[in-house]
Amino acid sequence: MSSHMASSSNGGNGSGDSGAPRRNSKRPKYSKFTQQELPACKPILTPRWVVSAFLIIAIVFIPIGIACLLGSRDVVEVVKRYETDCIPPENRTSRVQYIQSSANKTCTISMTIPKNMKKPIYVYYQLDNFYQNHRRYVKSRSDKQLKSLGNEDDTSSCKPEDTAVGGGAIVPCGLIAWSMFNDTYNFSRLNQPLSVNKKGIAWKSDKQKRFGKDVFPKNFQRGGLQGGAILNDTIPLSEQEDLMVWMRTAALPTFRKLYGKIEVDLQANDVINVTLANNYNTYSFNGKKKLVLSTTSWIGGRNDFLGIAYLTVGMICLALAMGFTVVYFIKPRRLGDPTFLSWNRGPGSQ
């Protein structure tokens, strides 16, 4: 019994000596790395440090939030919902049948400009309750086919819009292209037409890298059911910017896509008459259609979220800083001696 205890005692003492052999011990070899004693910055969060940190965050975030809100409020935006107004009253109980019929779907709406709008004025169409992020929908395309004429038959990922009824590949294939938005807008002011520039609305990278100059539409929308817009067979995909804009699928069910740009100034109280073709079927899924006219500022379009987020964080930090300051002066708490902290003691200290 005594010899066993002696051997265990000797083994325990030897484990602390780096030169002695280790005997049946799972204690790791001593090093500053394993014992987390490497030099490191270990700040002590005193009340002054905490209050100062919250004040700095508040001083930085609140002005940024105010600037973002002011930049967002400088944007002039006019929104007009029209999917119901452009259905004749007698057809509003059977909207799906009406939109799928061959009836004339031309409609006229008006938009009043609330403030001066400086050019360029961006024209968007907005769709609600349209889930472009659905997995099958997003996958139903062929980037190789869009890019090169040699990959015209690469339609394996495009089902069910992969091949035409009479045979041959559909270019561009897939559900995304098939369901392309096809409402059209014509603007006028004081009986004078306002031209809409539809050039430069797509990403430069899409025009140069993702859509080929030698790829032309083929067998497109020639099936039994037309999904959306019909593309011009004589224009290469690299020049069909409406298609490029639509093919960039949205992440949320409510989204806007750029239709074009009005490159003249609009004055306050101007009445803009819009003659539109209400062709796109959103009635099957209770979707909404809106026409949007918008300017931009240094922050982009109107979006108050960023400014509100910065202001919220800044105000919370300011309130915390003031609260901690009041508590510190009214009911201060004695701080501990930092010399007793473990990292301020030597490895052999107890």
Side-chain angles (χ1 to χ4, degrees):
M1 176 68 72
S2 60
S3 62
H4 177 69
M5 292 179 62
S7 63
S8 299
S9 176
N10 291 336
N13 294 334
S15 62
D17 187 1
S18 59
R22 300 170 59 196
R23 299 178 182 177
N24 299 327
S25 175
K26 295 182 180 180
R27 181 184 297 178
K29 182 179 178 181
Y30 172 80
S31 69
K32 290 187 176 181
F33 178 77
T34 58
Q35 298 303 317
Q36 300 184 13
E37 294 176 357
L38 292 174
C41 178
K42 299 176 180 178
I44 301 173
L45 297 180
T46 62
R48 291 184 180 181
W49 274 104
V50 173
V51 171
S52 300
F54 279 127
L55 278 178
I56 291 173
I57 295 175
I59 292 172
V60 173
F61 275 47
I62 291 177
I64 294 177
I66 294 174
C68 291
L69 274 180
L70 292 177
S72 178
R73 298 298 169 85
D74 286 341
V75 175
V76 182
E77 185 176 281
V78 186
V79 181
K80 179 69 175 180
R81 179 180 170 184
Y82 66 88
E83 84 282 349
T84 301
D85 294 341
C86 286
I87 296 288
E90 62 272 14
N91 297 111
R92 290 181 182 175
T93 57
S94 56
R95 298 181 300 174
V96 176
Q97 289 80 1
Y98 171 78
I99 202 69
Q100 292 178 347
S101 69
S102 58
N104 182 17
K105 303 179 183 67
T106 303
C107 172
T108 301
I109 60 176
S110 62
M111 306 175 73
T112 302
I113 307 302
K115 299 179 181 179
N116 293 340
M117 301 180 72
K118 295 183 178 181
K119 62 180 181 181
I121 300 166
Y122 294 92
V123 181
Y124 300 91
Y125 56 87
Q126 177 175 321
L127 297 180
D128 294 1
N129 202 34
F130 190 114
Y131 288 83
Q132 270 198 320
N133 61 347
H134 192 282
R135 182 181 62 85
R136 288 193 63 188
Y137 185 86
V138 171
K139 292 176 62 178
S140 185
R141 61 184 294 165
S142 175
D143 290 324
K144 292 182 179 179
Q145 185 200 62
L146 296 173
K147 186 176 181 180
S148 174
L149 178 62
N151 295 316
E152 178 180 302
D153 295 327
D154 185 6
T155 60
S156 59
S157 60
C158 293
K159 294 180 180 181
E161 292 297 320
D162 51 348
T163 56
V165 176
I170 298 176
V171 182
C173 67
L175 288 174
I176 303 177
W178 175 79
S179 61
M180 179 180 166
F181 188 78
N182 63 339
D183 283 7
T184 58
Y185 310 105
N186 292 298
F187 299 86
S188 63
R189 177 181 58 175
L190 300 175
N191 296 324
Q192 298 295 322
L194 291 174
S195 61
V196 178
N197 183 9
K198 298 178 70 68
K199 296 292 185 181
I201 62 175
W203 288 25
K204 187 177 180 180
S205 59
D206 287 349
K207 297 179 65 175
Q208 295 180 350
K209 298 180 181 180
R210 301 187 66 178
F211 292 82
K213 297 180 180 180
D214 58 346
V215 182
F216 292 81
K218 182 180 179 182
N219 298 323
F220 189 68
Q221 300 288 16
R222 294 181 182 176
L225 180 63
Q226 179 179 336
I230 298 176
L231 300 178
N232 192 332
D233 294 346
T234 63
I235 301 177
L237 297 186
S238 61
E239 297 180 13
Q240 305 216 26
E241 298 193 37
D242 283 331
L243 174 66
M244 300 179 199
V245 172
W246 180 258
M247 294 288 284
R248 280 202 166 268
T249 53
L252 300 175
T254 298
F255 58 87
R256 293 178 181 178
K257 291 185 180 292
L258 187 59
Y259 181 82
K261 294 177 287 186
I262 298 175
E263 297 183 332
V264 295
D265 294 341
L266 299 180
Q267 306 302 319
N269 300 320
D270 278 352
V271 177
I272 307 300
N273 295 314
V274 186
T275 302
L276 61 90
N278 183 30
N279 297 318
Y280 201 70
N281 181 12
T282 58
Y283 308 100
S284 298
F285 53 88
N286 294 322
K288 301 175 184 178
K289 293 190 287 188
K290 298 177 183 178
L291 177 62
V292 182
L293 303 180
S294 177
T295 59
T296 57
S297 66
W298 62 269
I299 200 174
R302 168 166 287 186
N303 187 353
D304 293 341
F305 173 78
L306 188 62
I308 293 174
Y310 270 106
L311 276 178
T312 302
V313 174
M315 295 301 293
I316 291 174
C317 290
L318 181 61
L320 290 174
M322 295 176 63
F324 286 147
T325 302
V326 171
V327 171
Y328 177 68
F329 282 106
I330 293 179
K331 192 176 181 181
R333 180 179 179 184
R334 183 181 177 184
L335 297 179
D337 189 351
T339 58
F340 288 96
L341 293 173
S342 61
W343 55 81
N344 289 330
R345 292 182 296 167
S349 300
Q350 299 295 328

